[in-house]
Amino acid sequence: MTRKLRLGMVGGGQGAFIGAVHRIAARLDDRFELVAGALSSDPQRAHASAAEAGIARSYADWREMAQTEAARQDDGIDAVAIVTPNHLHAPVATAFLEAGIHVICDKPLAVSLAEGQALARLAHEKKRLFALTHTYSGYPMVRHARELVEAGELGALRVVQVEYAQDWLAEPIEQSGTNKQAGWRTDPQQAGPAGCLGDIGTHAYHLASFVTGMKPKWLSAELHTFVPGRRVDDHVQAMLRYENGARGMLWASQVASGAENALRLRVYGTKAGLAFDQENPNELWFTPLGGAAQRLTRGRVTSAIAAHATRVPAGHPEGYLEAFAQLYQDAALQIEALDAGKAPPPESRLLTTVDDGVAGLHFIEAVLASSAAQGQLQEVRAG
Amino acid sequence: MTRKLRLGMVGGGQGAFIGAVHRIAARLDDRFELVAGALSSDPQRAHASAAEAGIARSYADWREMAQTEAARQDDGIDAVAIVTPNHLHAPVATAFLEAGIHVICDKPLAVSLAEGQALARLAHEKKRLFALTHTYSGYPMVRHARELVEAGELGALRVVQVEYAQDWLAEPIEQSGTNKQAGWRTDPQQAGPAGCLGDIGTHAYHLASFVTGMKPKWLSAELHTFVPGRRVDDHVQAMLRYENGARGMLWASQVASGAENALRLRVYGTKAGLAFDQENPNELWFTPLGGAAQRLTRGRVTSAIAAHATRVPAGHPEGYLEAFAQLYQDAALQIEALDAGKAPPPESRLLTTVDDGVAGLHFIEAVLASSAAQGQLQEVRAG
Amino acid sequence: MTRKLRLGMVGGGQGAFIGAVHRIAARLDDRFELVAGALSSDPQRAHASAAEAGIARSYADWREMAQTEAARQDDGIDAVAIVTPNHLHAPVATAFLEAGIHVICDKPLAVSLAEGQALARLAHEKKRLFALTHTYSGYPMVRHARELVEAGELGALRVVQVEYAQDWLAEPIEQSGTNKQAGWRTDPQQAGPAGCLGDIGTHAYHLASFVTGMKPKWLSAELHTFVPGRRVDDHVQAMLRYENGARGMLWASQVASGAENALRLRVYGTKAGLAFDQENPNELWFTPLGGAAQRLTRGRVTSAIAAHATRVPAGHPEGYLEAFAQLYQDAALQIEALDAGKAPPPESRLLTTVDDGVAGLHFIEAVLASSAAQGQLQEVRAG
Amino acid sequence: MTRKLRLGMVGGGQGAFIGAVHRIAARLDDRFELVAGALSSDPQRAHASAAEAGIARSYADWREMAQTEAARQDDGIDAVAIVTPNHLHAPVATAFLEAGIHVICDKPLAVSLAEGQALARLAHEKKRLFALTHTYSGYPMVRHARELVEAGELGALRVVQVEYAQDWLAEPIEQSGTNKQAGWRTDPQQAGPAGCLGDIGTHAYHLASFVTGMKPKWLSAELHTFVPGRRVDDHVQAMLRYENGARGMLWASQVASGAENALRLRVYGTKAGLAFDQENPNELWFTPLGGAAQRLTRGRVTSAIAAHATRVPAGHPEGYLEAFAQLYQDAALQIEALDAGKAPPPESRLLTTVDDGVAGLHFIEAVLASSAAQGQLQEVRAG
């Protein structure tokens, strides 16, 4: 076996949801060992969290961690996982890139376009991996969907329908002060100007782009805040136009009573349609025009790209953690290749890049602008 | 048993889809007998069609039919069913209303707002029934959904998501000349300026309005024609704003490869969400915030309004024809009441009126205007 | 149009479930007019029920009805629908067959094998139609399933799984005296010795036989009565063996809390499997070995046999009443052919016959015998 | 953090399905590190497999491994995972128990009842953990189902329906010699006398027992082999009777074309019914008599027992590997308690024991006996 890669983590202290998820994901396929961390800005909480997670080297400060780890000749970390609130993604990533350390960063890339673009330039300059953990692109059936589109099985694409509905912010739970996650996610200082839009709207945007291979060129959008006193949007709706003439709609809401984590994508082309529902990720629906709907299943579909992301046979469901683990597995493949000066293996190519992250920030900018102008048609810039 | 009502029909000659549906619907609950018809503008086809349908009195001309039937003292028709292409709805309805005959008219009400408004004035003046057959409001679970909203079970409404996807026009089948229905439905002279919008977009609009009891006040919309050479839109997408602050999206498409007749509505309030799918009409999903999704079923739910529209017990599925029959059953109740100078019984009150039809035409106008202005926010007028 | 056939009805007075269903079914496709009836053994109730149903000729006694109607030269009934409690099926059918009148009889055929066999002999001798209304074989997708099996699409059949679960008798509702249907269905004098077995077990048996074209040759079975004080079984379970080596299981229960009318069939062959669920009758699942499950839908499948039983396009759901109407439509086709001395048209051939009814009685006998012998393997006789 | 437990593995060399699953499961919750192994009976393959899996100490022989590891004072393994073909379960487990090492063993416990009973005695005598990995009892919603039954939410249980359908042995794939797993699983020398029965029938049996808390007292069963030349059964069907009067059916098949891994359980009581489908393990259906079906979901249900087995929030699906990991997590809790001389924590109590394994062997014996006697009713012994 190749040696395991050494991983550090910034953020993800006790009680944080996404930090624990990253740790399981990194461990699941046995390609990383977590050896260093700056898990909290509160030093005491940082050390207690690190001890609980079995992390050998605990730092009170991520700047110090970047420098110290970079300086360790033999056993410094190969990569850092960034799982802080959004506003720290860019500064932390910058510090580790500067130190020559690969970065695996939770989404969104940054809280402003300018910040994200600077990060992208730096990542390219430093030739380090910059992987953005858009979890849902780790599902085998999402990757198979992309393959079907690429192979022309849907014909020319016409319609994209993507939505992401949750209900966990249907009430003003951030106002009690007890829900740490709700707190920072609805605080523009920590989450950025886009609330629901940045948190889950970008997942919807990314999933649609990932599967279709297309980014909308223009959009008309509206943000809305339903819960009184909330400081960011909790609902976004948008109409999309693509350069090839395709049309689309995107809806994301965190006040959709009864919805758990309902990320769904439907794509219709001249020859067929497909549908994916994140809550049932072991299946993908494919319906040829005039034919019967087919339930394609993980483990039975034969694309190499789906097989690469599959651990257990058909009928043995995989889930969210496996999808997340897939991103780490792909990151490991790319890091090994980069460190060896080789091209990353093709099966790892679906990892979300820093440039994808910049595209997501352009999308956010366009939605903010259109919404501020009563839904006026807005161009989505690129680059 | 009260006597059966005597029904006439205009349109619906051999091979027409919706005419046959109206005949089954009128017959199913045994409240009407079909005795007269002007089934085609081609006299020979009219008579052959009438003979095939067992209709005693066949007319070559609907104007003549209106006058002759009105003049029959003892056995003239009580009501006429209008199932012609859209552009004839208004003139035919006008003739029968003028003759004092109740009207049951396929949707849309008319091909222009002005025409529809004139019809509404006439119907009110003549005090005759004017029922518009928005089929999907005949489903017991749709009516139960409306009841849940009215009873406050969802709390204050926040989000409306409605869509109607089909694929039967994914290819230019109207251009071969062999599909009569595709022909007139894509011909602006017969269908009006709104293609997909008028054909199914209005069903989606009506279903959402019917269940929520709210009409959008502003909208931003885009029509699109995907199939080259097609003369009307085959795709519509719109974002909606309601007076109470609720937001919504409406999507209708006739090029969604793989979709059969996928009319779906989801409504989210502060307390719960609900979902209805026309292709599975015996169930309605109701999910309280924080609770388990409940599959409410026809025959098990106990609202009087659903029971009124139900024929067979839970687990014995009813379908499209039963929903359609419900409209005829309700029309019979209203006609009997009107003819007796009484108020229609409350359980018949959910029949779509001529005023609802005018509201639908306002919606069409607003969509056409917004789409022509690149999706600019547009007010939806009323009255 | 050919003239409508004249129908009489025995049983089905006010409040009876299945009588009302037969009347709608007979009317739906416009091939019958209901002109005579002996709707109740209580003369006053019989006449009131007939008046309510718009039946012209009401009889207090079915024997008198058979003779009187047979004697009417020009307008006597062509066929009689028998919708009485089970124990009257045979005597009533005998009277009408003797009078030369076609019979459409609710299932089961009779309450004993001997009675059923005598009826079969008489029907054959009199050359009159004897149609047994096994409703579920009227569904287009059930007929399409049969077609797939016949065409060899499943390969050699190996496994049959059929079940019919309800919960309406989970409590002793027959003991209050207010539920007329529960009363007679759990009274061995009226329902026969088989309770759940005769009521719904035979539907399950028939559906499996209809689709597979095979009848079990041996079985091991157990009847059980869960509700204290109940006089017939409310649960049946059986293991089946077919002559070709196939195996199967049959389960029927009326105490399965939460089940509405859950009749489901699954068949597995060497090449593919299929599944049908009566509560979702517009679809049929077909899964080739190693391939994706396909959702075949009514209106999209192209078999002539399914098209014959279809009224509205794909995505416009049909249900239980349409399935029932299909039996009447097929009966009309067969009656016209018989009366004209012609062979019935092939598309009407799937109507359940008196011989199928006898096979069902053999099945009941075998289950009763095996259950009495602690589940000992029992041969299912034929003929 | 408590120290990780040291784990050894016997079996699970390159290409083995279940060995890899155990390794991921052991790692997922970070409570074990895999440090020793005898992964194959072929020494070269054993060492190559160990190297690939990153296992430090590789043994060519499991007897030697048991003794050597037991002799290591400071870093010998705490527990061994046994993932060999079935016939080795008992001898390997015996060796490690004798050496005082805890055992985590893949199911079935043994290939004969006598062997299993001896093992149970030994485990009790040695006071070591003996956990049998009946994976499906690791699902949170299965545990929640058990909780609902225990809490009386279903009332008195009446009907149990359990089934496990696969199709991977629909063709004689064991006869080509290339499918190692198919080879040993259909070889009575390695798999034992029960093929499908031992492989998946016991899973169905265990799941039903686990959720209901009841074991059948009598059964009538039939084994069958559909594929010519196969040396073990590939299909089992059984009817069950419970001491409280409940009835049940069990079906397992490996030739059900189209079925992937379709383990499903339904239980009906006097007050409600429930349904679980292993392929959709994040939900559980609960339907009160007369009420609406409720879709209970992992992460939303609030039982402590489900929460203990849950890692990520509602709507973020967990799957088979997480269920498997749960068994390892529970095993860790029990091992720590045993080693500390404490009672295992209550939340770990649902782990399958050696006595459950003996019960499963009694079930196998009874099925074999009944099937040999043409389905004669057979008592299922205990102890």
Side-chain angles (χ1 to χ4, degrees):
Chain A
M1 191 170 92
T2 337
R3 77 163 173 89
K4 290 191 206 175
L5 296 170
R6 287 180 293 272
L7 182 69
M9 177 168 281
V10 177
Q14 288 163 329
F17 160 57
I18 208 67
V21 165
H22 276 255
R23 289 193 291 270
I24 295 177
R27 188 162 62 231
L28 200 138
D29 290 323
D30 213 20
R31 297 296 306 113
F32 289 92
E33 54 182 335
L34 183 58
V35 298
L39 269 60
S40 172
S41 51
D42 167 345
Q44 202 165 342
R45 199 165 153 274
H47 297 318
S49 300
E52 191 180 299
I55 296 175
R57 303 190 291 272
S58 172
Y59 296 87
D61 180 87
W62 47 265
R63 284 178 198 82
E64 184 207 335
M65 173 176 161
Q67 288 162 11
T68 309
E69 289 292 323
R72 294 178 81 99
Q73 293 276 344
D74 295 333
D75 64 355
I77 58 174
D78 297 287
V80 68
I82 303 175
V83 294
T84 62
N86 302 347
H87 68 300
L88 292 175
H89 289 183
V92 175
T94 302
F96 282 83
L97 286 175
E98 295 282 10
I101 293 170
H102 300 289
V103 170
I104 298 169
C105 183
D106 209 75
K107 45 63 49 191
L109 177 58
V111 291
S112 79
L113 177 58
E115 204 182 49
Q117 287 170 322
L119 210 44
R121 281 190 300 271
L122 181 64
H124 289 301
E125 180 195 315
K126 293 290 180 180
K127 299 196 190 330
R128 299 287 82 187
L129 174 72
F130 195 107
L132 208 60
T133 52
H134 269 295
T135 326
Y136 306 109
S137 56
Y139 280 123
M141 298 315 286
V142 166
R143 294 181 171 200
H144 188 70
R146 178 187 167 107
E147 191 86 344
L148 290 173
V149 170
E150 247 182 34
E153 298 290 334
L154 275 76
L157 300 192
R158 284 174 166 171
V159 184
V160 176
Q161 288 280 341
V162 67
E163 63 185 44
Y164 197 155
Q166 298 180 330
D167 69 3
W168 73 291
L169 291 176
E171 298 186 330
I173 58 169
E174 73 270 30
Q175 294 167 23
S176 67
T178 58
N179 188 316
K180 191 175 152 67
Q181 192 184 166
W184 77 254
R185 286 194 190 273
T186 58
D187 173 4
Q189 301 303 318
Q190 297 184 71
C196 171
L197 170 61
D199 191 13
I200 62 174
T202 53
H203 271 307
Y205 169 82
H206 182 260
L207 179 65
S209 303
F210 181 86
V211 169
T212 63
M214 307 190 305
K215 292 185 174 65
K217 179 75 179 166
W218 302 272
L219 59 77
S220 175
E222 192 196 358
L223 295 170
H224 193 68
T225 304
F226 280 107
V227 173
R230 180 157 292 159
R231 291 178 293 162
V232 292
D233 61 281
D234 49 25
H235 180 92
V236 52
Q237 50 192 34
M239 300 193 297
L240 316 172
R241 301 188 190 188
Y242 293 85
E243 267 193 306
N244 76 338
R247 292 299 189 269
M249 296 178 94
L250 179 147
W251 169 53
S253 182
Q254 293 178 316
V255 302
S257 292
E260 296 186 343
N261 200 42
L263 171 60
R264 293 174 194 160
L265 174 67
R266 291 171 294 171
V267 181
Y268 302 93
T270 49
K271 292 167 57 180
L274 62 76
F276 176 78
D277 173 357
Q278 187 276 146
E279 295 183 348
N280 291 295
N282 292 280
E283 66 186 33
L284 172 71
W285 291 86
F286 177 78
T287 312
L289 183 60
Q294 297 168 26
R295 182 178 172 266
L296 309 180
T297 54
R298 190 193 49 75
R300 288 241 155 142
V301 295
T302 53
S303 68
I305 217 164
H308 166 65
T310 287
R311 286 148 200 84
V312 282
H316 298 72
E318 294 190 9
Y320 176 83
L321 291 171
E322 288 84 347
F324 220 116
Q326 191 56 38
L327 306 187
Y328 272 89
Q329 190 191 119
D330 292 342
L333 290 170
Q334 293 209 10
I335 289 170
E336 287 165 356
L338 278 169
D339 288 355
K342 296 186 193 158
E347 68 271 22
S348 74
R349 76 180 160 102
L350 297 183
L351 204 54
T352 304
T353 68
V354 71
D355 299 318
D356 295 326
V358 171
L361 294 170
H362 278 298
F363 170 74
I364 288 177
E365 294 271 307
V367 169
L368 290 168
S370 176
S371 183
Q374 294 278 41
Q376 202 175 54
L377 200 63
Q378 191 74 25
E379 187 171 350
V380 189
R381 296 220 163 68
Chain B
M1 190 170 92
T2 336
R3 77 163 174 88
K4 290 190 205 175
L5 296 170
R6 287 181 293 272
L7 183 68
M9 178 170 278
V10 177
Q14 289 162 329
F17 161 57
I18 207 66
V21 165
H22 276 255
R23 288 193 292 270
I24 296 177
R27 189 162 62 231
L28 199 138
D29 290 323
D30 213 20
R31 298 298 305 114
F32 289 91
E33 53 182 335
L34 184 57
V35 298
L39 271 59
S40 171
S41 52
D42 167 345
Q44 203 166 339
R45 199 164 154 274
H47 298 318
S49 301
E52 190 180 299
I55 296 174
R57 304 191 291 271
S58 174
Y59 297 87
D61 181 84
W62 47 265
R63 284 177 198 84
E64 183 208 337
M65 173 175 161
Q67 289 162 11
T68 308
E69 288 293 324
R72 294 178 80 101
Q73 293 277 344
D74 294 335
D75 65 353
I77 57 174
D78 296 287
V80 68
I82 303 175
V83 294
T84 62
N86 302 346
H87 69 300
L88 292 174
H89 290 183
V92 174
T94 302
F96 283 83
L97 287 174
E98 295 279 10
I101 293 170
H102 300 289
V103 170
I104 298 169
C105 183
D106 210 77
K107 44 66 44 194
L109 177 59
V111 291
S112 79
L113 177 58
E115 205 182 49
Q117 287 170 322
L119 210 45
R121 281 191 299 271
L122 180 64
H124 288 302
E125 180 195 316
K126 293 291 183 181
K127 299 197 189 331
R128 299 289 80 187
L129 174 73
F130 195 106
L132 208 60
T133 53
H134 268 296
T135 326
Y136 305 110
S137 56
Y139 280 122
M141 298 315 287
V142 167
R143 293 180 172 199
H144 189 70
R146 178 188 168 107
E147 192 85 345
L148 290 173
V149 171
E150 245 181 36
E153 298 288 335
L154 277 75
L157 301 191
R158 284 175 166 171
V159 184
V160 177
Q161 288 279 341
V162 66
E163 62 183 45
Y164 198 154
Q166 299 179 330
D167 70 2
W168 73 292
L169 291 176
E171 297 186 331
I173 59 169
E174 73 270 29
Q175 295 168 22
S176 67
T178 58
N179 188 318
K180 191 175 152 64
Q181 193 185 166
W184 77 254
R185 286 193 190 273
T186 58
D187 173 4
Q189 301 303 317
Q190 296 184 70
C196 171
L197 171 60
D199 191 12
I200 62 173
T202 53
H203 271 307
Y205 170 82
H206 182 262
L207 179 65
S209 303
F210 181 86
V211 169
T212 63
M214 306 189 306
K215 292 185 175 64
K217 180 76 179 166
W218 302 271
L219 59 75
S220 174
E222 193 196 0
L223 295 170
H224 193 67
T225 304
F226 280 107
V227 172
R230 180 158 294 159
R231 290 178 295 161
V232 292
D233 60 280
D234 49 25
H235 179 93
V236 52
Q237 50 193 34
M239 300 193 297
L240 315 172
R241 302 188 191 189
Y242 293 85
E243 266 192 305
N244 75 339
R247 293 299 189 270
M249 296 179 93
L250 179 148
W251 169 54
S253 182
Q254 294 178 314
V255 302
S257 293
E260 296 185 343
N261 199 41
L263 172 60
R264 290 174 195 161
L265 173 68
R266 291 172 293 173
V267 182
Y268 303 92
T270 49
K271 292 166 57 182
L274 62 75
F276 176 78
D277 173 357
Q278 188 277 145
E279 294 184 347
N280 291 295
N282 293 280
E283 67 186 32
L284 172 70
W285 290 87
F286 177 77
T287 312
L289 182 59
Q294 297 168 25
R295 182 178 172 266
L296 309 180
T297 54
R298 191 194 48 75
R300 288 239 157 144
V301 295
T302 54
S303 67
I305 218 164
H308 166 64
T310 287
R311 286 151 198 82
V312 282
H316 298 72
E318 294 191 10
Y320 176 84
L321 291 171
E322 288 84 348
F324 220 117
Q326 191 55 39
L327 305 187
Y328 271 89
Q329 191 190 118
D330 291 342
L333 290 170
Q334 294 209 10
I335 289 170
E336 286 165 357
L338 279 169
D339 288 356
K342 294 185 193 159
E347 68 271 23
S348 75
R349 77 180 158 100
L350 298 183
L351 205 53
T352 304
T353 67
V354 71
D355 299 317
D356 296 325
V358 171
L361 294 170
H362 278 300
F363 170 73
I364 288 177
E365 294 271 307
V367 170
L368 291 168
S370 175
S371 183
Q374 293 278 40
Q376 201 176 58
L377 199 64
Q378 190 75 22
E379 188 172 350
V380 188
R381 295 219 164 67
Chain C
M1 191 170 90
T2 336
R3 76 163 173 88
K4 289 190 206 175
L5 296 170
R6 287 181 294 272
L7 183 69
M9 177 169 280
V10 177
Q14 289 163 330
F17 161 58
I18 208 67
V21 165
H22 276 255
R23 289 193 290 270
I24 296 178
R27 189 162 62 231
L28 201 139
D29 289 324
D30 213 20
R31 298 295 307 112
F32 289 92
E33 52 182 335
L34 183 58
V35 298
L39 270 61
S40 172
S41 51
D42 168 345
Q44 202 166 339
R45 199 165 155 274
H47 298 318
S49 300
E52 191 180 299
I55 296 176
R57 302 190 291 272
S58 172
Y59 296 88
D61 180 85
W62 47 265
R63 283 178 199 83
E64 183 206 338
M65 174 176 160
Q67 288 162 13
T68 309
E69 289 293 323
R72 294 178 80 99
Q73 294 278 341
D74 295 334
D75 65 353
I77 58 173
D78 297 286
V80 68
I82 303 175
V83 294
T84 62
N86 302 348
H87 69 301
L88 292 175
H89 289 183
V92 175
T94 302
F96 283 83
L97 286 175
E98 295 282 9
I101 292 170
H102 301 289
V103 170
I104 298 169
C105 183
D106 210 76
K107 45 62 51 192
L109 177 58
V111 290
S112 79
L113 177 57
E115 204 181 49
Q117 287 171 322
L119 210 45
R121 281 191 299 272
L122 181 64
H124 288 301
E125 179 194 318
K126 293 290 181 182
K127 298 197 190 330
R128 298 289 80 188
L129 174 73
F130 195 107
L132 208 61
T133 53
H134 269 295
T135 326
Y136 306 110
S137 56
Y139 280 122
M141 298 316 286
V142 167
R143 295 180 171 200
H144 189 70
R146 178 187 167 107
E147 191 85 347
L148 290 173
V149 170
E150 247 182 34
E153 298 289 336
L154 276 75
L157 300 192
R158 284 175 167 171
V159 184
V160 176
Q161 289 280 340
V162 67
E163 63 184 45
Y164 197 154
Q166 298 180 331
D167 70 2
W168 73 291
L169 292 175
E171 298 186 331
I173 58 168
E174 73 270 31
Q175 294 167 20
S176 68
T178 57
N179 188 318
K180 192 174 152 65
Q181 194 184 166
W184 77 255
R185 286 193 190 273
T186 58
D187 173 4
Q189 301 304 317
Q190 297 185 71
C196 171
L197 170 60
D199 191 13
I200 62 174
T202 52
H203 271 308
Y205 169 82
H206 182 261
L207 180 65
S209 303
F210 181 86
V211 169
T212 63
M214 306 190 305
K215 292 186 174 62
K217 179 74 179 165
W218 302 272
L219 58 77
S220 175
E222 194 197 357
L223 295 171
H224 193 68
T225 304
F226 280 108
V227 173
R230 179 158 293 159
R231 292 179 292 162
V232 293
D233 60 281
D234 49 24
H235 180 92
V236 52
Q237 50 193 34
M239 300 194 296
L240 315 172
R241 301 189 190 188
Y242 294 86
E243 267 194 304
N244 75 339
R247 292 300 187 269
M249 296 179 94
L250 179 147
W251 169 54
S253 182
Q254 293 179 314
V255 302
S257 292
E260 296 186 342
N261 199 43
L263 171 61
R264 292 175 194 160
L265 173 68
R266 291 171 294 172
V267 182
Y268 303 92
T270 49
K271 292 166 56 180
L274 61 76
F276 176 78
D277 174 356
Q278 187 275 147
E279 294 184 347
N280 291 296
N282 293 280
E283 65 186 34
L284 172 71
W285 291 87
F286 177 78
T287 312
L289 183 60
Q294 297 169 25
R295 182 178 172 266
L296 309 181
T297 55
R298 191 193 49 75
R300 288 240 156 143
V301 295
T302 54
S303 67
I305 217 163
H308 166 65
T310 287
R311 287 148 198 84
V312 282
H316 298 71
E318 294 190 8
Y320 175 84
L321 291 170
E322 289 84 348
F324 220 117
Q326 192 55 38
L327 305 188
Y328 272 89
Q329 191 192 117
D330 291 342
L333 291 169
Q334 294 209 10
I335 289 171
E336 286 164 359
L338 278 169
D339 289 354
K342 296 184 193 160
E347 68 271 22
S348 74
R349 74 178 161 103
L350 298 182
L351 204 54
T352 304
T353 67
V354 72
D355 299 317
D356 295 326
V358 171
L361 294 170
H362 278 298
F363 170 73
I364 288 176
E365 294 271 307
V367 169
L368 290 169
S370 175
S371 183
Q374 294 279 44
Q376 201 176 57
L377 199 64
Q378 190 74 24
E379 187 170 353
V380 189
R381 296 221 163 67
Chain D
M1 191 169 91
T2 337
R3 77 163 172 88
K4 289 191 205 176
L5 296 171
R6 287 181 293 270
L7 183 69
M9 178 170 279
V10 178
Q14 288 163 330
F17 161 56
I18 208 66
V21 165
H22 275 256
R23 289 193 291 270
I24 296 177
R27 188 161 62 230
L28 200 139
D29 289 324
D30 213 20
R31 298 297 304 112
F32 289 91
E33 53 181 336
L34 184 58
V35 297
L39 271 59
S40 172
S41 52
D42 167 345
Q44 201 164 342
R45 198 162 154 275
H47 298 319
S49 301
E52 190 180 300
I55 296 175
R57 304 191 290 272
S58 173
Y59 297 87
D61 179 84
W62 47 265
R63 284 177 198 83
E64 182 207 337
M65 174 175 160
Q67 289 161 11
T68 308
E69 289 292 324
R72 293 178 80 100
Q73 293 277 343
D74 295 334
D75 65 354
I77 56 174
D78 297 286
V80 69
I82 304 175
V83 295
T84 62
N86 302 346
H87 69 299
L88 292 175
H89 289 183
V92 174
T94 302
F96 282 84
L97 285 176
E98 296 281 11
I101 293 170
H102 300 289
V103 170
I104 299 169
C105 183
D106 209 75
K107 44 65 47 194
L109 177 58
V111 290
S112 78
L113 177 58
E115 203 181 51
Q117 286 169 323
L119 209 44
R121 280 190 299 272
L122 181 63
H124 288 302
E125 180 195 316
K126 293 290 182 183
K127 299 195 188 333
R128 298 289 81 187
L129 174 73
F130 195 107
L132 208 61
T133 53
H134 268 295
T135 327
Y136 305 110
S137 57
Y139 280 123
M141 298 315 287
V142 166
R143 295 180 171 200
H144 189 69
R146 177 187 168 106
E147 191 85 345
L148 290 174
V149 170
E150 246 181 34
E153 299 288 334
L154 276 75
L157 301 192
R158 285 176 166 171
V159 184
V160 176
Q161 289 279 342
V162 66
E163 62 184 47
Y164 198 153
Q166 298 179 330
D167 69 2
W168 73 291
L169 291 176
E171 297 186 331
I173 58 169
E174 73 270 30
Q175 295 168 21
S176 68
T178 58
N179 189 319
K180 189 174 154 65
Q181 193 185 167
W184 77 255
R185 285 193 191 273
T186 58
D187 174 3
Q189 301 303 319
Q190 297 185 71
C196 172
L197 171 60
D199 191 12
I200 62 173
T202 52
H203 270 308
Y205 169 82
H206 182 261
L207 179 65
S209 303
F210 181 86
V211 169
T212 63
M214 306 189 307
K215 293 186 174 64
K217 180 75 179 165
W218 301 273
L219 59 76
S220 174
E222 193 195 0
L223 295 170
H224 193 67
T225 304
F226 280 108
V227 173
R230 180 157 294 160
R231 291 178 293 162
V232 292
D233 61 281
D234 49 25
H235 180 92
V236 51
Q237 49 193 36
M239 300 194 297
L240 315 172
R241 301 189 190 187
Y242 293 86
E243 266 193 304
N244 75 339
R247 293 299 189 268
M249 296 179 93
L250 180 148
W251 169 53
S253 181
Q254 294 179 314
V255 303
S257 293
E260 296 185 343
N261 199 42
L263 172 61
R264 291 174 194 161
L265 173 68
R266 290 171 295 172
V267 181
Y268 303 93
T270 50
K271 292 167 57 182
L274 62 75
F276 176 78
D277 173 357
Q278 188 275 147
E279 294 184 348
N280 291 297
N282 293 280
E283 67 186 32
L284 172 71
W285 291 86
F286 176 78
T287 312
L289 182 60
Q294 296 169 26
R295 182 179 172 267
L296 309 180
T297 54
R298 191 194 48 75
R300 287 240 157 144
V301 295
T302 53
S303 68
I305 218 163
H308 166 64
T310 287
R311 287 150 198 83
V312 282
H316 298 71
E318 294 190 10
Y320 176 84
L321 291 170
E322 288 85 347
F324 220 118
Q326 191 56 39
L327 305 188
Y328 271 89
Q329 191 191 118
D330 291 342
L333 290 170
Q334 294 209 11
I335 289 171
E336 286 165 358
L338 279 169
D339 288 355
K342 295 185 194 159
E347 68 271 22
S348 74
R349 76 179 159 102
L350 298 182
L351 204 53
T352 304
T353 67
V354 71
D355 299 316
D356 295 327
V358 171
L361 294 170
H362 277 298
F363 169 74
I364 288 177
E365 294 272 306
V367 170
L368 290 168
S370 176
S371 182
Q374 294 279 44
Q376 202 176 56
L377 200 64
Q378 190 75 23
E379 188 173 350
V380 188
R381 295 219 163 68

